Amino acid sequence: APLLNVRSVETYYGNIRALSGVDVEVHRGEIVSLIGANGAGKSTLMMTICGSPQARTGSVVFEGQDITRLPTHEIARLRIAQSPEGRRIFPRMTVLENLQMGASLDNLKHFKEDVEKVFALFPRLKERQTQRGGTLSGGEQQMLSIGRALMARPKLLLLDEPSLGLAPLIVKGIFDAIKKLNKQEGLTVFLVEQNAFGALKLSDRAYVLVNGRVTMSGSGKDLLANP
Ligand code: ADP
Ligand code: ADP
């Protein structure tokens, strides 16, 4: 069974239908992306998975459990971590304090070990560990946001446009780090992106979202070959 199974989801903002009959599956160990232009419904789908109260039909199942009606904090407890979260990083806290905020109470006992893993993945964060979050560059803030999500030791990492507004070289560094985590630790990742090329290269499988509908799906390689 898939780790995450989104079935026939329709989401509404008032009378406006933002998602129509969306089906998405993410299996353990996969990197899956959902690609779409601005306004396609990517953020809406992320929020739907994470328990936003928007009106919707269909179901979201995680590890066999129906999470369609669960509130956001209960979804986090199932170790689904999201980056960036609605509130993003804490600008007045240091890098290290921000990472601490990502660790659940259960994880504080291996806090040091987990922080070292994040620093190994993103050496820039190690150099800046005593600096306040708000003083970091955009790319470093993105790394910090992902690092904080990883501190929860997620079973599923959700990434909402990790390349947004960042220079190509920074994006490559972040995508390489995600790939490395996936290869080395088997981390399961679901990301939404406008950057089709980067996301398809990174992904095992991908879905294309147009005006709230999935119009294509397949392996990253196949979709790259037939854009
Ligand atoms: P994306 O993340 O792909 O850019 P969104 O999920 O943000 O797309 O938006 C999908 C559609 O829903 C768009 O047509 C957008 O205008 C609409 N929408 C998003 N948020 C709201 C909202 N709070 N109220 C009304 N319409 C919204
Ligand atoms: P190599 O340079 O070893 O042949 P690739 O160029 O195929 O390898 O890419 C190595 C890794 O970098 C891949 O895992 C891919 O996800 C990532 N990558 C490559 N190009 C981009 C890009 N434009 N955007 C994001 N990630 C990329």
Side-chain angles (χ1 to χ4, degrees), residues 152-168:
R153 296 194 164 192
K155 291 177 179 171
L156 173 64
L157 178 64
L158 302 175
L159 299 174
D160 194 347
E161 304 219 36
S163 79
L164 192 68
L166 303 179

Side-chain angles (χ1 to χ4, degrees), residues 12-14 16-19 34 36-47 54 160-161 192 194 209 211-212:
Y12 294 85
Y13 295 103
I16 301 166
R17 185 164 61 190
L19 295 176
L34 179 104
N38 216 351
K42 301 182 299 298
S43 301
T44 301
L45 180 62
M46 277 302 195
M47 290 190 291
Q54 294 306 333
D160 194 347
E161 304 219 36
V192 302
Q194 290 194 44
L209 190 71
N211 290 330

Side-chain angles (χ1 to χ4, degrees), residues 191-226:
L191 72 155
V192 302
E193 261 297 345
Q194 290 194 44
N195 173 359
F197 180 72
L200 289 176
K201 276 197 82 173
L202 177 70
S203 302
D204 301 305
R205 287 189 311 110
Y207 297 86
V208 177
L209 190 71
V210 179
N211 290 330
R213 287 180 192 277
V214 173
T215 58
M216 271 194 288
S217 63
S219 76
K221 279 205 177 77
D222 288 349
L223 290 176
L224 261 184
N226 305 293

Side-chain angles (χ1 to χ4, degrees), residues 53-212:
Q54 294 306 333
R56 64 196 173 213
T57 61
S59 65
V60 181
V61 174
F62 179 72
E63 288 192 306
Q65 180 185 351
D66 190 331
I67 63 167
T68 317
R69 313 267 160 230
L70 282 190
T72 302
H73 66 274
E74 300 222 3
I75 287 171
R77 205 177 298 155
L78 299 173
R79 288 170 48 208
I80 297 176
Q82 193 191 9
S83 168
E85 289 178 78
R87 58 208 159 95
R88 299 175 189 268
I89 63 162
F90 300 100
R92 290 170 187 283
M93 292 186 182
T94 67
V95 165
L96 205 55
E97 286 163 351
N98 266 280
L99 292 176
Q100 206 160 353
M101 295 302 291
S104 70
L105 285 180
D106 289 347
N107 289 353
L108 282 178
K109 57 179 179 291
H110 30 69
F111 177 71
K112 266 196 159 155
E113 177 194 335
D114 291 356
V115 163
E116 283 310 321
K117 272 194 188 166
V118 170
F119 285 165
L121 203 60
F122 300 118
R124 300 279 292 199
L125 293 182
K126 183 167 191 167
E127 292 165 25
R128 306 230 182 302
Q129 58 182 292
T130 59
Q131 230 170 285
R132 287 185 181 201
T135 67
L136 301 180
S137 71
E140 290 162 353
Q141 292 194 13
Q142 185 66 268
M143 293 172 203
L144 179 54
S145 171
I146 294 171
R148 191 176 68 187
L150 292 173
M151 293 299 291
R153 296 194 164 192
K155 291 177 179 171
L156 173 64
L157 178 64
L158 302 175
L159 299 174
D160 194 347
E161 304 219 36
S163 79
L164 192 68
L166 303 179
L169 202 61
I170 307 284
V171 172
K172 185 173 187 320
I174 287 175
F175 281 13
D176 284 349
I178 292 165
K179 191 84 188 179
K180 191 168 156 192
L181 268 175
N182 169 260
K183 283 250 147 52
Q184 291 181 350
E185 317 234 337
L187 179 69
T188 308
V189 180
F190 178 63
L191 72 155
V192 302
E193 261 297 345
Q194 290 194 44
N195 173 359
F197 180 72
L200 289 176
K201 276 197 82 173
L202 177 70
S203 302
D204 301 305
R205 287 189 311 110
Y207 297 86
V208 177
L209 190 71
V210 179
N211 290 330

